[in-house]
C-alpha cells in the first residue's frame, strides 16, 4: 500500500520509487510524511504495519495451516512451490509439497502434491480418485527456488476438465472419479485427512497461495509473512486481513524478505 503527501497544496499519491543517496539509487520501501501537521507512516508493502513479507515458508513436516474454506467443486488455485535445500533426497520418493485434502480410501481427494526422488521432481493434481488425476513429470528444480503453478478443478469429480499448470507446462485430466461429499477440511503445507508421511507430512516450501470458488470469488489470498512483534511466521490473508499461524507443532522456517 502507498500513501499521500501534499505538494503545492495538492494531495499526491505516493507509490514505490527510488531516491539517489550518495550517488547510489536506493529503493524507497517505507517512511513518514506530514499532512496537516500530523505524521503518517508510508509503506509500500501489501501487508499492514507489524508484518514483514517473506518469499516463502518451509515446514519440516509437522507444521501446517488450516485453510479458511473446504472441499468444493469448481475451485481454482494459484500457488508458488519449490524444493527446499533442507530436504536431501538420494533414494526413495520424498514429498516436497502438499495442499488440500487426501483420503487413503481414494475418495474426497482435492489435492496438489509435489514429489520426487534423486532430485527428479513431478507434480500432480487430483480430484476424487486417481482416475481423475494428472501429473507433470521431469520438472527440473533448483533448491530454494519457487516455481509458479495453478490448478483448475472441474465443477465436479465427473464433469468438466481438471487442468494443472506448473513452471510453464500444462496437463489435463477428464476421467470420471467419485467425490462422495464436499465440505472436507483442507490444509496448506500438508494435506488434511491422512496421517501418512507422504501426503500428510510433506516438507513443503510454499510462497503465495490464492484460491477462487466456482464463481470466481476469492476464497483466500495468502502471502508468507513474519509478525515482527514476536517473529512468528505464518501466512497473511490479504482477502480477510487475517494472519494465519501454525496449527501443527514446532514452527515454520521463514525465507528471505520479499
Amino acid at each position: 500500500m502507498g500513501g499521500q503527501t501534499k505538494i503545492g497544496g495538492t494531495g499526491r499519491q505516493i507509490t514505490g520509487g527510488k531516491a539517489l543517496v550518495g550517488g547510489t539509487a536506493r529503493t524507497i520501501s517505507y517512511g513518514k510524511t506530514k499532512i496537516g501537521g500530523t505524521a503518517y507512516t508510508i509503506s509500500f508493502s501489501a501487508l499492514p504495519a507489524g508484518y514483514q513479507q517473506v518469499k516463502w515458508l518451509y515446514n519440516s513436516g509437522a507444521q501446517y495451516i488450516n485453510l479458511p474454506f473446504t472441499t468444493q467443486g469448481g475451485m481454482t488455485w494459484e500457488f508458488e512451490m519449490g524444493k527446499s535445500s533442507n530436504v536431501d533426497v538420494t533414494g526413495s520418493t520424498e514429498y516436497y509439497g502438499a495442499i488440500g485434502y487426501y483420503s487413503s480410501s481414494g475418495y474426497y481427494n482435492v489435492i496438489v502434491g509435489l514429489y520426487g526422488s534423486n532430485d527428479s521432481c513431478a507434480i500432480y493434481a487430483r480430484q476424487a480418485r486417481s482416475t481423475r488425476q494428472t501429473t507433470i513429470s521431469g520438472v527440473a528444480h533448483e533448491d530454494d527456488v519457487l516455481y509458479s503453478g495453478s490448478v483448475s478443478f472441474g465443477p465436479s469429480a465427473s464433469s468438466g476438465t481438471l487442468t494443472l499448470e506448473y513452471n510453464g507446462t500444462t496437463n489435463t485430466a477428464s476421467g470420471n472419479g467419485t467425490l462422495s461429499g464436499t465440505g472436507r477440511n483442507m490444509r496448506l503445507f500438508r494435506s488434511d485427512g491422512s496421517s501418512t508421511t507422504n501426503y500428510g507430512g510433506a516438507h513443503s516450501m510454499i510462497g503465495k497461495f490464492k484460491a477462487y470458488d466456482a464463481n470466481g470469488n476469492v476464497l483466500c489470498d495468502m502471502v508468507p509473512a513474519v509478525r515482527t512483534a514476536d517473529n512468528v511466521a505464518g501466512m497473511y490473508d490479504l482477502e480477510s486481513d487475517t494472519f494465519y499461524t501454525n496449527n501443527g507443532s514446532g514452527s515454520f522456517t521463514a525465507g528471505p524478505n520479499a
Side-chain angles (χ1 to χ4, degrees):
M1 61 187 70
Q4 287 197 334
T5 189
K6 188 171 285 188
I7 302 174
T10 302
R12 305 289 185 180
Q13 184 70 28
I14 301 171
T15 59
K18 292 181 179 291
L20 201 61
V21 181
T24 302
R26 307 286 188 182
T27 299
I28 303 170
S29 58
Y30 61 89
K32 289 182 180 293
T33 189
K34 187 174 285 189
I35 302 175
T38 302
Y40 292 92
T41 299
I42 303 168
S43 174
F44 303 115
S45 170
L47 305 182
Y51 297 91
Q52 171 62 55
Q53 184 174 344
V54 294
K55 292 185 177 181
W56 45 260
L57 298 183
Y58 166 75
N59 83 327
S60 60
Q63 300 81 45
Y64 62 90
I65 287 174
N66 290 324
L67 288 169
F69 57 93
T70 57
T71 57
Q72 55 193 273
M75 288 187 295
T76 297
W77 298 350
E78 299 169 354
F79 56 89
E80 295 176 331
M81 193 177 287
K83 176 183 175 296
S84 171
S85 57
N86 291 307
V87 184
D88 184 17
V89 179
T90 57
S92 61
T93 298
E94 181 73 58
Y95 280 75
Y96 307 138
I99 305 170
Y101 179 91
Y102 172 81
S103 172
S104 58
S105 67
Y107 297 99
Y108 308 115
N109 298 333
V110 180
I111 187 173
V112 168
L114 177 68
Y115 65 97
S117 59
N118 297 318
D119 294 328
S120 176
C121 294
I123 188 167
Y124 74 95
R126 177 185 290 185
Q127 185 180 21
R129 307 200 78 159
S130 57
T131 51
R132 193 175 179 81
Q133 172 180 312
T134 188
T135 302
I136 298 174
S137 302
V139 181
H141 271 76
E142 292 184 47
D143 285 356
D144 301 328
V145 175
L146 290 173
Y147 296 88
S148 297
S150 66
V151 59
S152 177
F153 296 99
S156 72
S158 58
S159 65
T161 300
L162 183 154
T163 302
L164 173 66
E165 185 276 330
Y166 189 69
N167 196 19
T169 300
T170 301
N171 277 356
T172 62
S174 55
N176 290 340
T178 301
L179 190 65
S180 298
T182 57
R184 301 282 171 165
N185 294 326
M186 292 189 290
R187 293 174 177 172
L188 191 61
F189 294 95
R190 58 183 293 180
S191 64
D192 200 354
S194 172
S195 60
T196 65
T197 300
N198 289 349
Y199 300 101
H203 296 274
S204 304
M205 189 181 85
I206 295 177
K208 297 177 182 178
F209 176 75
K210 191 171 185 177
Y212 306 83
D213 68 13
N215 297 315
N217 300 309
V218 177
L219 295 169
C220 72
D221 185 4
M222 294 190 173
V223 296
V226 172
R227 188 168 55 201
T228 56
D230 53 9
N231 289 320
V232 170
M235 299 291 282
Y236 194 96
D237 183 10
L238 300 175
E239 180 66 17
S240 65
D241 287 325
T242 302
F243 186 55
Y244 289 86
T245 55
N246 174 32
N247 294 114
S249 60
S251 58
F252 288 110
T253 297
N257 290 346

